[in-house]
Each structure stands twice: as C-alpha cells, then as structure tokens.
C-alpha cells in the first residue's frame, strides 16, 4: 500500500495546496486586515470557518483516497439521487440566504446543497458514459446526459440560485464534448450563446461573429445545410437579443443585463453597477505588483461587496496586482490541464469524464467568477474554486479533486469492459 | 493520435484560451487602465485630511506671549454614510439640540458624498464621547483646527485683525498659494498683513476610510503624509502693558492713539476706540452680534489710527514755525504783535485766544498764538507749505505693516487745490487758516506721530511698524520684514531746537498739568474744528524724554474739545506709564487723572450719516 500512495499525483496536490493557501490569505486579508475591527462579527469569523472546513475537506479527501474505484462507480447513482433529494429538501426546508433557498442547516453546519449536487451530477454523468458501449454516441444518448444535468439544474433554478444553475448549463457542452458528440453539433450548441453575449456587449461584434462563425462552419463542413442552420441559430439569437432588449424586457431588466458592459455609467454606478465599479477599482488600482498584503485600500475599506466570497478575486487583484493575478491564473491552468492528463491516463471513460468534468466545472467557475469581478460578465454569484470563502463549495470542489486523484491512483483497477 | 487525443488537445487549448482572455482583461484593468482605477479607488477609500499648522504666535516687545493657538475640533458628516436615526445619539453626546443637528444634516444631505461640518467648536471631552461611540456613528469624523487665544489684557483689536475661514473671493485670489475651502485666513490687521508668514504650511494626513466613511487606518502607514509646518512667530514692537493701559483710558471716548519709538519707528501702542472683542471671532459669530458691531453709530470697525482724517489744529503750528524759519521770514528773535487777532480782517476774522503782545516764535508755540501763525501763513506761499508738509510725511500714505490698503492719506492743499476750490480766484487771506491747522488740510494720527518723532529725534522720518522680526519656531531662524527705510530730513538743528523749546514750554508751563513728574517732555496740544459743527476734536502730540526721546505719541479724541483736555491727558499718562513703568497720581496729577475719565467724546447726534473715512 505504501508504495502505491507515492503514485499520488504531486502536481495536482501541490497546485491545490497553493490555491487553498492563496484563498486563505485573501480571506484573511478581507476579514482580519487593519480595518477588521469595523466589521460585524459575521464576516470576521469567515476565516476561522474556512479553516474548519479545510479540516473537514482534508479528512474527506483522505477517505476518498482510501476508497477503491468500484466504490465510486457503484456509488455514482446513489450519490446523484442523494443530492437530488437534498436539493428537494433544501427547497422544502431550506433557509433563504441572499434570496436563494439553497441552504440546509444541519446542526451548526450550513450546507449549500447545490454545490454538492455538482459532485453527484459529474459522478452520474461519468457512470452513464462509462457504462455505454463504444461508438454509440447519438442524439438520444446526448439527451439522456443533458437530462441528468438539467434535473438538478432545474431544481436549483427553483431555489432561485440562477448563478449555480448556470454552471450546470456550462457543464452540458463539456460533458457532451467528452462523451464524443460530433464537434460540429457542439459548435452549433455553443455558438448561439457566444453570439448572444456579443449581442449584449456590442452589436457590430455580434454580427461580425455570426459572419465569421458561418464562414468557419462552411469551411469546416462544406455543407450548405449546416451552414444555413448555423446562420439561423446564431443570427436568430442576435436578432432575438436585440428585440428583447429594445422591445420586450422592462427597463429594469435591461439595465441589469447591460450594466456590466459599463458599470460606471451614470445610471448604473449607484445601484446595479456599484459592486463591479468597486471591484474594478480594486483590481485595476493593484497595478503590476499590487498594494501588498493587508494594504489594499478597497479591500480594507470594505468597498467590494462579498469580498471574501464571490468577489474574492478583487482582494488578490488589489493586494497582489497583475503579477499575483497571473500567478493564480497560472496555477489554475496547471491544475486544469493536469486533471485532463490524469483523466487521459486512466484510459477509462468513467475516469476521463470525472477528470474532464471536474476540470470543466472549475473552468466555468473561474471564467464566470473572474469575468464578473472584472466586469467582463454580469454579476453572477458563484465562487472561485478553492479560493472563495464557502465550506460547501470548498468541500464539493475538493471532493471532485480527491475522486480524480483516487481514481488515478488506482487507474489499473478499472475493469476493461468500459472501453 | 485518435479522436480522444485530439479532443484532449482541443480542451487544453480551450482552457488556455479562456484563462488567456481573463489575463488580457486583467492586463487591461491593471496595466493599461491602472491610473483611472487608482484614481477611483483613491477617491473611494483614501481621504486627505488637511492638517492646519498652528498659526504663528505673537509676542510683545518684551517677549510676553500675546496671541497663541488652542486646538478646536470640528465634527464632519458624510451624508452618504450617515444614518439619520443616529442624530439623537449624536445630539446627546454633544449636548446640542436634535433640531439643530437635524437642520445641518438636511442641508448637508443635498450633497451626499461631500463632508460637511455638523458641529464646530467641539471640546475635547465631547469629541472623546463621540469617538467612543464611533461604531454607532458611521459617516462622522473630525478635524482639528486651531483657534486663536488672546493672553494679555491688550486687545489691540484693529491692529491685530482676526482669523476667519477664507472667503470665496479671497480663495479665488489666493488659490495659487495652496489655499482650499475651509482654510483660515487673516482678516485685517497683522493677521492679514503677515498672513503668508504666520500661516505656515498645511500638512496632509492620508487615511483609509471604509465604505461607511469611518477611518480605518493610516494610508500606506503614513508614508504619503506631509507634516504641517508651523507659521512664523511674530515679535511685535508693541508694549502689551502700555497697549492695555491705552485701551483702558478711552472710556466713553472715540478716537485713537499711536505711540512710536522715535529712534526706530517701532509702534509701542496703537488703539482705536471704540473697539470690539476679538474673542468673538474665534467662535461661530452670531450674525446679529456682527450686525450690531457693523452698524453701531460709533463705528467700532473704523480704525481711527489709520483711517481717521482730521484737521491738525494747533499741533500744526511747529511745522509752520519751522517753515517760516527755514524760508528766512523770521529768526528766533523775530517778534510779532498779537492784539487778540490778526490785523487782516480787523482782528475779528482771524482771532486769537488772548492778546499776547509782542511774541517770538518760541513763545508763540508755547501760547499757541494764532495771530503769530496767521501772519506766518500770510507771508508763506501755500505751495511752499505744501512742499515742506509733504516732506514731513503729511499728505503721503504712511507705511504701516497692517493691511495697508486701509491707511488714509490726508490732504495737504496746494494752489491747484485752491484754484479748484475758488474758481473765481483767491487771495492769501483764504489760506491763512492753514497757519493754525484749520481750514482745508487734513492729517492722520500716524502722520502726526511721525512728525512728532522727527521733531524729537532731530529730523528723521521713521517708518512705523509693528513687527520687529519673525522667528521660525522649529529652526529658530529669524527674518526681518521688509519695509521702507527711514527718511533723513535735512533740517536745520537750530530751528528744530527752537521748536522743541517752544514745545517744552507748552508742557512745562502753558499746560503744566501735562508735565510728567521727573521726565522733561515736549508736546503740543490742538483742538481741531471739524466741518460737522460738533465740538472740536481734541489733538495732542508729545515726545519724551526731551533730550533723548524714547517715545513719541499722537492722540486724537473726537469731539472732546481742547487738546490739553482729553487727548493731552491720555498722551501724558501713557508716556509716563511707558517711561517710568507707573503713573504717579500724587498732587494735581491725581485730579487730572480723575478728570480725564469725565472728559467724554460728545455723544454723536442720532443721525444716519456718520463721518466717513475721507471726512
């Protein structure tokens, strides 16, 4: 046994540790800086709580590393089912926090079950793909996968936690990509979302994107029908977005959607754009090297809303500057790519899907979270993996990581029937 | 290799691509747009507190501290972060009425991000109570400002000036010198004249504030802070004891006095009555109090030392005598017959107080014989008088280092003036009144004091000034303010001696009660008619000790009659006080002293028009 644990992937483990340390330091700065005496008790205890949660995570990860491959495969559906039940339970008995009814209180612990649902969903998807006979990827199978993902997602939407649900939507193309869906179909699925984003940010860019995308599809396939469909889907979304913004949606909704494109504008800065203005001020004023640990004026002044949770990146950007931000991005890149490699090494669809799913989920979180903090995207309240304060998220993300590590450790145990 | 490999590569590219987008975005914010975001963050979270240095202190000529500073606190509210429901708590801590704070808050709330004062003049105890509760009082902070304190009995109201928050117009004019809203600014007097010296250099204290407007920490551990530099201390030439004494003598009198050291022009005391309490201006001034000062019929804001212009009366006679001697019309032995009036006009137009008989120039000064000086003026061309008087500083703007734009010039008429006054022509008879200091001429107290000093010191026209030097309290470096050099007049010493002899007899014999026991002095009384038709103004000039003068004084009391009355007594007692350090009230001087307080300026008739600075 001892010999086997030396096979534990050190790169993943070290980057995980590095990210957690970065996160703890950022949470510490946001809650125990020179100005902390002015905070209410609640945010100040975040740091201690996170340490506690880290302990729980370490224990959970150790347990996961002891478990055999078969356990994860067998437990995939029960865990998925369990998380669905928890979601329903939260919907029925949960407590509302920040408008979202996604928290279950068990004794002193508060669980954001939607975070745990990610683990169950990835497990379930991986198990479905793993059980599949090779080369049977078709639309029907794709619908089953999408269904597995959308079920918890819709429960989460019912909980009024759109941000977390969005992560599940982001998971869909990733899972389909890894389960072998035709790339053209995948592109057709993703392109309308990108076109929609551009339609909100800049109409000329959106139109340019539509033209380029149709041209690209034509160049790829030389298929008139696919090109037509791609033109219809992307162009349709652009047109719909335009119509929605100018005619259908109320002013308030339009403002909310548009605010991130220029949060500092007169009509936004006092309300919906306020947090992003302050977040950008924090990050931008960090400059090349940042203002130093516990020296960020925005951070220490408490100007950024939710700065130990969703806007934690503003602390890093302000106090550690561009250099620190790039280091964090680099750590994420190493971790995400390493996970893919671990998955590939397992040579089993279950392992590949778990690893790729974890990597993909992290990627979606990272993009949305940092995109929001830098006003590239609208405010969507999801945490930055391993860094943001939040026990459930840390636990869920670490659990996924531990499962990948555990599977990779015992990659020779995979039964060969899967591939 | 196969499909799986290429998908792996695609996904890796996707990861790098997405993280790359984020990196570019961060680069844009943190490198390209850094300065604008820094500006935004500094606007948000760093606030500059202006540290007002203590203004320079004022010491009198003996090193007695006259004017100092004490800290005072101003509470500010930033309405954006303030909670209106905390007003009662704040009011309780400050012992101020809710309604008052409420009104101020409402006013401030129009500009939610602008810090506005909500309570000034907060004591240290009150401030401490507020700071203890600062968790409950978001949006409240304070600044330390300096308040002037006056430590001696000498008020020196008009010469001192006072300090107020800089006015809008002054701010426009002095913005280049680094003034900002709320800075103190000297108003009038020394405080204004030496504003740039006593002001010091304000410092900056940068502090981090949180989103509720509370100060949370020093910004960059204070590395950006700039220390305030104290203003220069002024060593005044004023004798604070003499000054206080002078102020105590003007009971029920309007007028002024200025005492100089005739050797160097140092102002020993200057007082204009009535005055007002400068202490009023160290607090928030009640507009009603201010109005009552501003519109009082005795015009306390009017500085009678620098702004009053009046006819010199008989104090002018030594000048006429000097002129007659200088142009060779007379010599010391020359006598003219006084039969109670000048022959021109049959003795009824140009009258004398008495029939002095044949009288020489010394006696003429002593008795203040009008006839003699009418005759002198009859013989002297008005332009010649104009020339000498101008040389002696009359009709010239005198230098004085207090807000010089307020200093009156006086008026010494010449032929052009009379050509305008009498378009159909005029004769020497029209100007003979000038010989006795009546008629068209006007002088000021400063001019009279310099003139007295010049006679006493042998002909040097000194430069009156109130500041001897300025000292940097941190380095001890001294500086002497720039001022015009004294003017050495080429006067015949023999003639001056004749003048002094006449003036000695004025004090020693004619108005013997003005003689200071044990100190020989020279002086000249005057009573100046005024165009208002009220009682004459009482005027007096004096210098002592006669042989080596250390003080020259000019006193003027409005509508108090003869110069030997109110003005003479005030002058005599002040000189005595200065030279002997006490006032000897034994014998007749005691009676003179008591009488002095009964001599009042005639009460001004209740009418709207009062005498303006240009008379």
């Amino acid at each position: 046994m001892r010999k086997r644990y030396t096979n534990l992937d050190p790169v993943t483990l070290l980057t995980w540790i590095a990210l957690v340390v970065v996160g703890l330091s950022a949470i510490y700065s946001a809650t125990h800086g020179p100005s902390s005496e002015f905070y209410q008790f609640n945010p100040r205890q975040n740091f201690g709580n996170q340490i506690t949660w880290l302990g729980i995570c370490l224990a959970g990860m150790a347990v996961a590393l002891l478990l055999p491959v078969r356990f994860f495969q067998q437990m995939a559906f029960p865990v998925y089912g369990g998380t669905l039940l928890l979601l329903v339970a939260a919907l029925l008995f949960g407590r509302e926090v920040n408008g979202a009814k996604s928290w279950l209180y068990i004794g002193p612990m508060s669980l954001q079950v939607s975070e745990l649902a990610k683990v169950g969903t990835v497990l379930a998807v991986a198990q479905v793909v793993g059980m599949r006979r090779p080369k049977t990827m078709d639309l029907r199978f794709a619908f089953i996968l999408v269904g597995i993902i959308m079920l918890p997602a819709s429960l989460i939407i019912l909980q009024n936690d759109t941000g977390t649900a969005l992560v599940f939507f982001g998971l869909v193309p990733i899972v389909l990509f890894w389960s072998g869906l035709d790339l053209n179909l995948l592109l057709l699925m993703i392109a309308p979302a990108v076109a929609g984003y551009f339609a909100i940010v800049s109409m000329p860019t959106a139109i340019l994107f539509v033209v380029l995308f149709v041209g690209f599809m034509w160049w790829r396939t030389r298929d008139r029908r696919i090109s037509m469909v791609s033109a219809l889907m992307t162009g349709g979304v652009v047109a719909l977005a335009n119509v929605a913004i100018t005619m259908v949606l109320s002013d308030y909704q339009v403002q909310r959607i548009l605010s991130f494109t220029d949060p500092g504008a007169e009509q936004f800065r006092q309300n919906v754009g306020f947090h992003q203005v302050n977040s950008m001020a924090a990050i931008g004023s960090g400059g090349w090297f940042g203002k130093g640990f516990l020296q960020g004026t925005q951070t220490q002044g408490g100007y950024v809303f939710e700065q130990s949770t969703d806007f934690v990146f503003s602390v890093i950007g302000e106090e550690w500057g561009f250099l620190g931000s790039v280091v964090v991005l680099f750590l994420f890149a190493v971790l995400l790519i390493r996970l893919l490699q671990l998955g590939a090494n397992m040579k089993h669809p279950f392992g590949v899907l778990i690893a790729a799913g974890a990597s993909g989920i992290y990627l979606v979180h990272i993009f949305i979270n940092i995109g929001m903090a830098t006003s590239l995207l609208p405010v969507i309240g999801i945490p930055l993996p391993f860094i943001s304060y939040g026990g459930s998220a840390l636990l869920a993300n670490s659990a996924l990581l531990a499962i990948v590590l555990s599977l990779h450790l015992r990659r020779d145990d995979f039964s060969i029937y899967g591939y | 290799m196969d499909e799986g490999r290429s998908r792996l590569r695609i996904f890796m590219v996707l990861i790098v691509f997405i993280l790359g987008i984020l990196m570019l975005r961060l680069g844009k914010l943190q490198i390209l747009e850094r300065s604008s975001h820094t500006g935004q963050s500094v606007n948000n979270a760093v606030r500059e507190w202006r540290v007002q240095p203590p203004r320079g202190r004022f010491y009198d000529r003996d090193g007695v501290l006259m004017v100092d500073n004490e800290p005072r606190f101003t509470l500010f509210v930033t309405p954006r972060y303030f909670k209106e429901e905390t007003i009662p708590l704040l009011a309780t801590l400050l012992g101020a009425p809710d309604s008052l704070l409420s009104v101020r808050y409402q006013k401030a709330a129009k500009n939610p991000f602008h810090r506005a004062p909500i309570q000034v003049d907060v004591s240290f105890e009150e401030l401490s109570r507020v700071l203890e509760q600062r968790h409950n009082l978001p949006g409240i902070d304070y600044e330390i400002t300096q308040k002037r304190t006056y430590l001696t009995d000498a008020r020196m109201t008009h010469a001192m000036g006072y300090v107020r928050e800089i006015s809008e117009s002054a701010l426009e004019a002095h913005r280049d010198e680094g003034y900002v809203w709320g800075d103190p600014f000297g108003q009038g007097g020394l405080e204004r004249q030496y504003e740039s010296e006593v002001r010091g250099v304000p410092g900056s204290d940068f502090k981090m504030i949180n989103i509720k407007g509370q100060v949370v920490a020093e910004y960059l551990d204070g590395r950006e802070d700039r220390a305030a530099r104290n203003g220069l201390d002024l060593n005044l030439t004023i004798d604070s004891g003499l000054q206080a004494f002078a102020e105590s003598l003007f009971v029920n009198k309007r007028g002024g006095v200025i005492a100089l050291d005739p050797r160097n022009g140092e102002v020993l005391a200057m007082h204009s009555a009535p005055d007002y309490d400068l202490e009023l201006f160290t607090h928030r001034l009640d507009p009603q109090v201010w109005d009552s000062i501003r519109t009082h019929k005795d015009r306390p804001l009017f500085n009678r030392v620098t702004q009053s212009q009046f006819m010199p009366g008989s104090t002018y006679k030594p000048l006429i005598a000097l002129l007659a001697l200088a142009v060779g019309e007379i010599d010391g032995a020359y006598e003219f017959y006084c039969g109670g009036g000048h022959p021109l006009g049959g003795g009824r137009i140009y009258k004398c107080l008495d029939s002095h008989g044949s009288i020489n120039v010394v006696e003429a000064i002593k008795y203040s014989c009008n006839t003699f000086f009418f005759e002198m003026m009859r013989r002297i061309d008005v332009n010649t008088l104009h020339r000498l008087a101008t040389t002696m500083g009359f009709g010239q703007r005198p230098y004085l280092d207090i807000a010089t734009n307020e200093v009156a010039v006086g008026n010494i008429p010449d032929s052009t003036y009379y050509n305008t006054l009498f378009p159909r022509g005029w004769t020497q008879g029209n100007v003979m009144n000038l010989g006795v200091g009546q008629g068209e001429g006007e002088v000021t107290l400063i001019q009279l004091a310099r003139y007295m000093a010049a006679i006493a010191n042998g002909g040097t026209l000194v430069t009156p000034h109130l500041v001897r030097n300025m000292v940097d309290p941190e380095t001890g470096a001294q500086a002497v303010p720039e001022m015009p050099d004294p003017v050495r007049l080429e006067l015949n010493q023999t003639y001056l001696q004749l003048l002094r002899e006449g003036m000695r007899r004025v004090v020693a014999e004619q108005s013997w009660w003005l003689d200071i026991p044990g100190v020989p002095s020279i002086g000249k009384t005057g009573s100046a008619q005024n165009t208002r038709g009220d009682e004459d103004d009482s005027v007096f000039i004096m210098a002592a000790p006669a042989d080596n003068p250390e003080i020259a004084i000019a006193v003027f009391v409005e509508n108090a009659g003869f110069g030997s009355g109110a003005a003479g007594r005030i002058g005599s007692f002040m000189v005595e006080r200065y030279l002997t350090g006490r006032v000897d009230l034994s014998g007749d001087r005691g009676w003179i002293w008591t009488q002095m307080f009964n001599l009042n300026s005639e009460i001004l008739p209740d009418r709207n028009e009062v005498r303006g600075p240009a008379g």
Side-chain angles (χ1 to χ4, degrees):
Chain A
M1 281 297 272
R2 188 190 297 167
K3 187 167 179 274
R4 289 189 63 174
Y5 279 95
T6 57
N7 288 336
L8 203 55
D9 182 57
V11 177
T12 311
L13 213 56
L14 286 176
T15 46
W16 177 79
I17 291 170
L19 286 168
V20 167
V21 168
V22 168
L24 284 176
S25 78
I27 295 167
Y28 183 85
S29 176
T31 57
H32 285 67
S35 62
S36 60
E37 59 170 305
F38 291 92
Y39 292 144
Q40 292 165 333
F41 181 63
N42 204 19
R44 286 183 83 183
Q45 65 184 173
N46 282 3
F47 182 72
N49 287 354
Q50 187 79 342
I51 297 271
T52 313
W53 275 107
L54 189 60
I56 295 172
C57 284
L58 285 172
M61 287 168 85
V63 170
L65 287 174
L66 292 173
L67 296 170
V69 170
R70 269 220 324 274
F71 175 83
F72 294 109
Q73 290 176 316
Q74 285 167 354
M75 289 305 289
F77 291 137
V79 168
Y80 178 68
T83 53
L84 285 183
L85 283 178
L86 281 175
L87 284 174
V88 173
L91 207 51
L92 295 178
F93 315 112
R95 202 179 291 178
E96 207 173 291
V97 175
N98 290 338
K101 211 170 176 187
S102 53
W103 294 79
L104 266 187
Y105 283 76
I106 305 154
M109 285 215 316
S110 55
L111 266 185
Q112 196 181 3
V113 289
S114 51
E115 291 291 337
L116 302 185
K118 289 173 197 164
V119 183
T121 307
V122 169
L123 278 172
V125 165
Q127 179 63 1
V128 168
V129 175
M131 292 189 316
R132 175 191 54 151
R133 294 287 167 262
K135 307 286 178 195
T136 55
M137 185 62 200
D138 54 24
L139 274 180
R140 201 172 62 88
F141 183 67
F143 277 122
I144 293 173
L145 290 180
V146 172
I148 291 173
I149 297 172
M150 292 314 277
L151 194 55
S154 43
L155 285 171
I156 293 168
I157 286 178
L158 284 179
Q159 292 175 346
N160 200 22
D161 186 359
T162 328
T164 310
L166 216 59
V167 176
F168 284 80
F169 296 145
L171 196 57
V172 170
I174 293 167
V175 163
L176 292 179
F177 175 83
W178 285 105
S179 49
L181 188 72
D182 182 53
L183 279 181
N184 293 332
L185 279 178
L186 209 60
L187 284 173
L188 281 178
M189 284 175 64
I190 299 170
V194 179
Y197 173 80
F198 283 133
I200 292 169
V201 176
S202 148
M203 203 36 93
T205 318
I207 291 167
L208 184 69
F209 173 78
V210 170
V211 172
L212 286 177
F213 178 70
V214 174
F216 175 75
M217 292 306 283
W218 171 249
W219 171 78
R220 239 183 99 79
T221 60
R222 304 282 159 178
D223 185 322
R224 210 168 281 166
R225 273 184 317 164
I226 292 181
S227 303
M228 291 278 273
V229 171
S230 60
L232 277 176
M233 287 180 75
T234 51
V237 166
V238 171
L240 269 178
N242 198 18
V243 169
I245 288 172
T246 53
M247 295 176 176
V248 182
L249 296 175
S250 70
D251 270 3
Y252 172 74
Q253 287 168 310
V254 172
Q255 282 209 354
R256 267 209 84 96
I257 293 168
L258 292 185
S259 68
F260 79 92
T261 60
D262 185 10
E266 201 58 49
Q267 68 266 40
F268 302 139
R269 58 177 310 130
Q270 281 311 309
N271 42 69
V272 289
F274 188 70
H275 307 311
Q276 284 187 321
V277 167
N278 279 317
S279 175
M280 285 207 292
I283 294 171
S285 63
W288 276 101
F289 305 108
K291 300 174 186 171
F293 187 50
L294 303 182
Q295 297 294 320
T297 53
Q298 302 289 292
T299 300
Q300 301 308 331
Y303 285 88
V304 187
F305 169 77
E306 294 287 332
Q307 57 182 0
S308 61
T309 56
D310 295 345
F311 276 100
V312 72
F313 198 78
S314 71
V315 179
I316 297 166
E318 182 178 28
E319 300 199 337
W320 300 114
F322 182 66
L323 225 59
S325 308
V326 168
V327 166
V328 170
L329 288 180
F330 178 75
L331 287 173
F332 276 130
V334 168
L335 181 70
L336 266 50
I337 288 173
R338 186 65 186 167
L339 285 175
L340 294 181
Q341 288 173 340
L342 296 185
N345 282 350
M346 293 180 213
K347 295 191 173 62
H348 187 280
F350 183 78
V352 171
L353 254 295
I354 297 264
S359 181
I361 280 187
Y362 298 156
L363 185 65
V364 172
H365 276 100
I366 294 163
F367 181 61
I368 292 181
N369 184 283
I370 300 182
M372 161 188 80
T374 55
S375 207
L376 202 57
L377 296 171
V379 175
I380 300 163
I382 61 167
L384 190 59
F386 310 115
I387 292 182
S388 285
Y389 167 73
S392 310
L394 183 64
L395 185 64
N397 290 324
S398 301
L400 270 177
L401 195 84
I403 292 169
V404 175
L405 282 175
S406 179
L407 292 176
H408 180 253
L409 194 64
R410 299 182 178 80
R411 56 188 178 274
D412 298 336
D413 295 354
F414 277 112
S415 62
I416 52 156
Y417 70 85
Y419 228 38
Chain B
M1 192 175 73
D2 63 344
E3 172 82 1
R5 271 280 166 226
S6 85
R7 292 209 172 208
L8 182 67
R9 201 162 299 136
I10 290 172
F11 205 81
M12 285 180 181
V13 170
L14 184 71
I15 289 172
V16 171
F17 178 71
I18 286 183
L19 295 183
I21 288 176
L22 293 177
M23 192 175 94
L24 289 178
R25 178 68 178 173
L26 286 166
K28 180 169 182 265
L29 292 183
Q30 297 185 299
I31 296 162
L32 300 182
E33 297 174 357
R34 178 190 181 173
S35 58
S36 77
H37 290 301
T38 303
Q40 167 79 30
S41 84
V42 166
N43 276 349
N44 265 353
V46 181
R47 187 166 294 156
E48 178 183 357
W49 265 261
R50 208 170 170 76
V51 184
Q52 292 297 351
R55 276 177 90 82
R57 290 163 294 185
F58 294 176
Y59 294 91
D60 89 340
R61 64 188 291 112
D62 300 318
V64 176
L65 184 55
M66 293 180 74
V67 183
D68 200 356
N69 307 288
E70 66 181 14
R72 110 203 220 178
F73 302 92
T74 306
L75 278 190
F76 286 85
V77 61
T78 310
R80 171 72 171 79
Y81 308 119
F82 187 69
K83 291 203 197 90
E84 200 173 351
E85 61 267 25
T86 58
I87 285 180
L89 170 65
L90 191 61
T92 312
L93 297 173
L94 293 174
D98 284 22
S99 54
L100 179 70
L101 299 185
S102 207
V103 165
R104 288 185 190 150
Y105 168 73
Q106 296 301 345
K107 220 164 147 191
K110 287 173 193 148
N111 201 347
F113 282 97
H114 179 78
R115 286 163 76 243
I118 195 164
Q119 180 78 322
V120 295
D121 258 332
V122 175
S123 74
F124 184 71
E125 290 73 23
E126 289 164 342
L127 180 74
S128 311
R129 289 203 291 271
V130 170
L131 290 184
E132 275 169 26
Q133 289 286 331
R134 65 178 165 171
H135 295 79
N136 298 323
L137 293 168
I140 291 287
D141 63 88
Y142 70 95
E143 278 182 18
I144 307 174
T145 48
Q146 304 285 342
K147 161 186 165 173
R148 278 302 206 194
T149 51
Y150 304 99
L151 301 176
T152 60
D153 292 335
R155 312 217 282 189
M156 225 169 90
T157 304
H158 298 87
M160 199 75 89
Y162 53 92
V163 183
R164 298 297 276 171
E165 204 169 275
I166 191 165
S167 68
E168 203 164 334
S169 54
L171 182 62
E172 279 316 309
H174 298 277
R175 207 181 275 282
D176 296 349
E177 295 152 44
Y179 285 94
V180 299
W181 268 121
D183 275 0
F185 194 76
Q187 315 281 332
L190 290 168
E191 297 275 19
R192 174 70 191 89
Q193 178 80 13
Y194 289 93
E195 166 67 21
S196 51
E197 285 84 10
V198 299
R199 171 195 181 206
V201 183
S204 291
D205 199 355
F206 293 95
K207 285 184 175 145
M208 275 164 53
I209 56 161
N210 69 9
I211 193 162
K212 291 177 182 164
Q214 296 159 319
V215 175
V216 294
E218 283 287 324
Y219 177 57
L220 294 178
D221 298 324
R223 269 173 281 140
E224 295 277 297
D225 293 357
R226 274 177 287 117
R229 278 185 63 85
N230 285 20
L232 302 184
D233 291 341
L234 299 187
N235 285 320
L236 304 185
T237 61
I238 296 291
D239 181 316
S240 60
L242 181 65
Q243 176 72 28
F245 182 69
E247 290 167 14
S248 71
L249 298 183
F250 277 82
V251 177
N252 291 328
K253 297 173 186 63
R254 295 182 308 276
V257 56
I258 180 167
L260 302 176
D261 187 327
R263 294 167 297 187
N264 50 26
E266 291 181 346
V267 176
L268 305 172
M270 65 177 282
H271 173 59
S272 170
D275 63 357
Y276 48 92
D277 193 353
L278 287 175
E279 197 74 36
L280 286 173
F281 292 87
T282 64
H283 302 281
R284 182 160 287 261
L285 185 59
D286 187 338
Q288 285 183 329
V289 173
W290 172 239
D291 265 357
S292 74
I293 294 174
R294 206 168 47 80
T295 59
H296 193 279
K297 67 183 168 67
D298 285 345
R299 305 191 53 181
L301 293 180
F302 187 61
N303 184 349
R304 285 164 168 85
V305 176
T306 57
Q307 292 176 285
S308 262
Q309 307 182 101
F310 48 89
M311 291 171 208
S314 301
T315 55
Y316 217 41
K317 285 173 181 165
L319 180 76
I320 303 296
L322 180 64
L323 184 54
L325 289 162
V327 299
E329 286 292 339
I330 61 167
D331 56 22
Y334 172 86
E335 290 189 349
F336 187 72
Y337 180 76
C338 167
H342 193 272
L344 197 70
R348 285 189 298 278
I349 299 176
Y350 302 105
K351 284 192 282 192
C352 194
L353 297 167
D354 204 345
S355 294
H356 295 110
S358 278
I359 191 167
N360 67 12
V361 63
V362 170
E363 290 290 292
I365 292 174
K366 169 187 166 184
Y367 289 114
S368 201
C369 174
N370 287 350
T371 310
F372 186 90
F373 289 100
F374 283 136
E375 174 61 16
M376 295 301 108
M377 200 55 218
R378 191 185 65 79
R379 298 187 195 178
I380 298 170
D381 175 42
V382 67
N383 286 334
T384 311
L385 170 62
H386 176 84
R387 216 158 38 241
L388 179 67
T390 305
T391 313
M392 292 292 272
F394 292 105
Q396 307 286 303
R397 165 171 298 209
Y399 176 85
L400 186 65
D401 51 354
I402 58 168
T404 44
N405 54 340
E406 293 177 357
V407 177
V409 178
N411 173 32
I412 301 302
D414 57 7
S415 56
T416 318
Y417 179 89
Y418 284 102
N419 288 339
T420 315
L421 195 64
F422 304 109
R424 296 184 182 175
W426 49 281
T427 65
Q428 205 59 18
N430 294 100
V431 300
M432 273 165 58
N433 267 332
L434 289 177
V436 296
Q438 311 291 1
E440 281 76 28
E442 279 185 328
V443 300
T444 71
L445 264 185
I446 303 176
Q447 290 167 349
L448 277 184
R450 287 176 89 201
Y451 154 72
M452 180 69 252
I455 293 172
N457 68 19
T460 300
L461 212 50
V462 294
T463 307
H465 57 279
L466 276 79
V467 175
R468 185 180 278 168
N469 58 25
M470 307 176 288
V471 181
D472 187 322
E474 288 161 39
T475 63
Q478 292 198 358
V480 178
E482 276 188 32
M483 63 182 119
D485 288 330
V487 182
R488 177 76 198 162
L489 304 172
E490 295 306 326
L491 299 180
N492 186 314
Q493 294 301 322
T494 318
Y495 301 157
L496 280 181
Q497 191 49 48
L498 290 173
L499 261 51
R500 286 196 289 257
E501 176 55 23
M503 293 171 82
R504 187 191 66 76
R505 293 185 195 174
V506 169
V507 181
E509 298 164 15
Q510 178 66 10
S511 302
W512 50 267
W513 57 89
L514 301 180
D515 194 24
I516 302 161
V519 182
S521 58
I522 60 176
K524 186 71 194 81
T525 60
S527 37
Q529 293 166 3
N530 63 56
T531 48
R532 296 158 303 177
D534 300 333
E535 182 84 32
D536 288 352
D537 294 336
S538 172
V539 188
F540 182 63
I541 55 177
M542 187 185 221
D547 45 351
N548 185 20
E550 293 170 24
I551 178 170
I553 197 166
V555 192
F556 136 85
V557 182
E558 282 181 19
N559 311 128
F562 288 111
S564 54
R569 294 168 204 216
I570 288 172
S572 172
F573 282 119
M574 277 180 67
V575 171
E576 183 183 8
R577 169 74 168 70
Y578 179 69
L579 292 176
T580 67
R582 56 189 289 270
V583 176
D584 180 0
L585 294 182
S586 59
D588 291 334
R589 292 278 281 184
W591 185 81
I592 295 296
W593 170 263
T594 314
Q595 276 301 102
M596 177 176 62
F597 293 100
N598 296 334
L599 288 168
N600 295 342
S601 292
E602 183 182 72
I603 291 168
L604 285 176
D606 192 11
R607 61 188 177 202
N608 290 329
E609 40 173 299
V610 277
R611 193 180 188 189

